[in-house]
Amino acid sequence: MKKDVIIIGGGVIGLCSAYYLAKEGAKVTVIDKSDMLDGCSYGNAGMIVPSHIIPMAQPGVIHQGIKWMFNAKSPFYIKPTLSIDLLSWLIQFYKNSNQEHVNKSMVPLRNLSFFSKELYQEFANSSNKFGYQEKGLLMLYNTEKVGEEEITTGRMVEKMGIEVDFLDKHEVKELEKNCKVDALGAVHYKSDAHLSPNQFIAYLKAELNEMGVKMISNCSMVDFKVSGGKIEELFTNLGNFRADEFVIAAGSWSVEIAKKLGVKLSILPGKGYSFNAENLLLKPTIPAILCEGKVAVTPLGDTVRFGGTLEITNNNNNTKINIKRLQGIVEKVNQFYPDLKVYLPKKEKVWHGFRPCTPTGLPIIEKNEKFKNLIIVTGHAMMGLSLAPASGKLVSELIMGKKTSIDITEFKSC
C-alpha cells in the first residue's frame, strides 16, 4: 500500500525528505508557511563539511561566547531577554559543553556528514546543475592562539579518518593562487565540498515536480487532530489534510508546530547573515572560514558569498539587520583578502535567516515516541544544507520501516 506523507517545511531538509520518500513510491505533499523562495538554506554558505564533526557545545565555547558578547562586531551574540526557554536552553548548552559530549558526538556526526556527501555525489553524478565541487575547505587564521586551537581541532579530526593538511602562510599562498591571502596559516580539510544552494534547491524542486510531489506554499498550520497515539489530520488556513505519516521539518519554526501536539523541542533560532559580491576582479577559488571572525567565504561561479554571525534569540520574527555585525564580516574579509576590497552591502542586498540550534549541537532525526506516525527532523544549526540529503534519506527509511543507513541513536530531542 502506498504511503501518504505530509511534510511540514519546504526548506532543503523537507525537500530532501520528499525526494527520497517519492523515490520509495510514497505520495508526498510538502507544505510551508512561506512562498518557499527564500528559506534558511537559500542564504547558506553552500559548504558540504564532513570536517565539522565537533558539535557547537564544546569546551571553551562558553568562555569565548561571553567575551564576544561585549564586542558589537563579534560573530556570536545572545540576545538578553526574560525567557524561560532561553534560560533552559543555556543551562542545557552549558551542561553539554564538555569533552565527554564531544567524544560521544564525533562519530555520529562524522557518519552523518559522510553519508550526506555520498548522496550529494550521487546527485552530482546524475546531473550537476548546481556547481558541486570538491575543493576542500581552508580554515584560515592569522593569530598564533587561534592557529593552535585550529591545529588541535585538525589533529582530532584527522584521528577520525578525515584527510587534513596543515599549511603555513607560504603553503596557503601556493594553494590559493588566484588572490592574495593574508593569513598566518590554515588547516585544509580536503574532504569538504561546496555548491550553489539556490541552484541545488531549484534542481530539487524540478525533480520533485517530475516525481509528482505536491508543494503548497503560503500554507499556515493551525492545529492537529489526534487519536489513539496517531495524528489523523492537519488543519491549515488552506484546508485540512489527512495522511498516514507526518514529518515536521520546519527548522526553527518546528518548535511552535510541535507544541501544538504537546511535544517540546529545545531549539532556539540563531540568526545569521550573508551577502554576495559580484564582478570582483580577483576572487578566491577555495572555500574558507576566516577563523577569528567565523566568516564563511564561498566562490559560487561569478560571485563570492560571504556569511557569518550567530545571534541566538527566542524570536523567529526578529528581522532587523545588525549593521555592526555586518561590518565585522566585511572587515574580516578585507583583512584576510586585502585585494578583494569588499564594501558594506546595502540592507536590501543582505540575506538573513534563522538556524535551528539545539543545546547539544546535534540535529534531531527521530521517530516521535508520543505519536507513532510522526517524524521530527530539525536542529541542524549552520549545517542544514550540508546534512540535508542524509537527513532526508533517513526520514524515508524511518517511514518505510527500513533499517537506517547509519545509527541515529544520538540524534534525539532533549
Side-chain angles (χ1 to χ4, degrees):
M1 180 179 171
K2 183 180 283 191
K3 291 259 189 181
D4 195 336
V5 184
I6 288 177
I7 298 173
I8 306 170
V12 68
I13 290 171
L15 296 180
C16 282
S17 299
Y19 176 84
Y20 288 110
L21 280 164
K23 284 191 74 173
E24 291 287 343
K27 178 186 174 186
V28 185
T29 301
V30 179
I31 70 169
D32 196 279
K33 62 187 275 186
S34 75
D35 56 13
M36 288 197 262
L37 297 177
D38 190 28
C40 191
S41 298
Y42 284 86
N44 189 285
M47 295 178 177
I48 316 301
V49 284
S51 61
H52 281 41
I53 62 171
I54 296 177
M56 188 166 68
Q58 57 184 278
V61 71
I62 297 290
H63 176 69
Q64 181 62 64
I66 291 171
K67 287 190 353 186
W68 273 336
M69 284 281 289
F70 299 98
N71 179 358
K73 297 179 182 178
S74 76
F76 180 76
Y77 180 68
I78 298 175
K79 184 176 177 61
T81 183
L82 292 173
S83 165
I84 293 175
D85 290 338
L86 176 60
L87 180 61
S88 173
W89 190 94
L90 288 171
I91 290 170
Q92 290 180 72
F93 187 79
Y94 174 77
K95 288 179 178 178
N96 284 306
S97 297
N98 58 69
Q99 193 60 44
E100 182 183 355
H101 174 67
V102 169
N103 295 341
K104 187 174 71 170
S105 302
M106 284 195 295
V107 170
L109 276 176
R110 179 198 63 188
N111 294 346
L112 184 64
S113 288
F114 273 102
F115 181 37
S116 212
K117 183 185 173 184
E118 288 171 15
L119 295 174
Y120 268 122
Q121 289 170 331
E122 288 181 11
F123 277 124
N125 289 337
S126 173
S127 177
N128 192 358
K129 296 180 179 179
F130 40 87
Y132 178 85
Q133 297 181 70
E134 296 184 359
K135 290 191 172 184
L137 173 68
L138 287 171
M139 301 294 290
L140 295 169
Y141 56 85
N142 58 15
T143 60
E144 292 281 359
K145 181 178 182 299
V146 172
E148 288 173 9
E149 292 169 357
E150 291 302 322
I151 290 168
T152 299
T153 298
R155 297 291 183 201
M156 287 176 62
V157 171
E158 191 176 38
K159 289 177 182 176
M160 302 296 289
I162 295 171
E163 193 175 0
V164 185
D165 276 349
F166 301 90
L167 310 177
D168 62 25
K169 61 182 179 182
H170 303 294
E171 291 166 323
V172 170
K173 290 175 183 176
E174 278 298 306
L175 189 63
E176 182 53 272
K177 296 180 178 180
N178 214 45
C179 64
K180 182 180 178 182
V181 183
D182 190 358
L184 190 62
V187 178
H188 186 204
Y189 292 107
K190 302 174 77 172
S191 60
D192 291 8
H194 71 285
L195 52 75
S196 166
N198 308 61
Q199 292 173 3
F200 178 68
I201 292 172
Y203 163 79
L204 257 187
K205 285 182 174 179
E207 290 291 299
L208 294 176
N209 187 55
E210 287 288 319
M211 298 163 85
V213 172
K214 192 174 182 181
M215 288 180 277
I216 305 173
S217 58
N218 301 308
C219 184
S220 299
M221 200 221 79
V222 177
D223 209 346
F224 293 95
K225 179 183 177 183
V226 301
S227 178
K230 289 184 69 175
I231 301 170
E232 289 191 349
E233 200 167 2
L234 170 65
F235 303 143
T236 79
N237 65 318
L238 298 180
N240 303 341
F241 299 87
R242 300 182 72 89
D244 303 311
E245 305 281 344
F246 293 81
V247 179
I248 296 177
S252 56
W253 281 271
S254 299
V255 176
E256 60 190 67
I257 294 169
K259 194 179 291 183
K260 300 277 189 185
L261 294 163
V263 174
K264 181 175 174 54
L265 297 178
S266 187
I267 291 174
L268 288 179
K271 186 164 68 171
Y273 306 120
S274 74
F275 62 92
N276 294 341
E278 300 173 351
N279 303 316
L280 294 174
L281 294 176
L282 299 170
K283 55 181 177 288
T285 58
I286 301 171
I289 291 179
L290 316 181
C291 295
E292 278 80 1
K294 303 295 182 187
V295 174
V297 180
T298 314
L300 298 172
D302 294 330
T303 69
V304 181
R305 178 165 292 172
F306 304 106
T309 82
L310 184 66
E311 295 180 23
I312 298 293
T313 175
N314 67 332
N315 183 3
N316 281 308
N317 299 311
N318 177 12
T319 59
K320 185 179 178 182
I321 303 294
N322 188 318
I323 294 298
K324 287 287 187 184
R325 300 204 181 281
L326 275 177
Q327 286 175 337
I329 293 173
V330 171
E331 287 174 8
K332 283 300 173 188
V333 170
N334 288 324
Q335 181 182 341
F336 278 88
Y337 299 102
D339 292 342
L340 295 193
K341 295 181 172 53
V342 174
Y343 300 98
L344 189 70
K346 294 180 180 178
K347 280 188 178 182
E348 59 268 22
K349 296 290 187 181
V350 177
W351 172 92
H352 72 276
F354 298 94
R355 294 85 155 241
C357 301
T358 66
T360 62
L362 299 175
I364 298 167
I365 308 169
E366 67 175 6
K367 196 171 183 68
N368 185 252
E369 294 180 358
K370 185 175 180 180
F371 298 100
K372 54 189 174 185
N373 63 339
L374 173 64
I375 304 292
I376 298 175
V377 54
T378 184
H380 295 70
M382 287 84 73
M383 293 176 63
L385 182 85
S386 184
L387 300 176
S391 299
K393 179 73 170 176
L394 291 165
V395 165
S396 76
E397 290 170 344
L398 287 170
I399 287 177
M400 303 309 291
K402 295 186 173 184
K403 186 179 187 301
T404 56
S405 297
I406 63 168
D407 183 5
I408 61 171
T409 305
E410 296 300 323
F411 304 129
K412 292 191 175 295
S413 55
C414 54

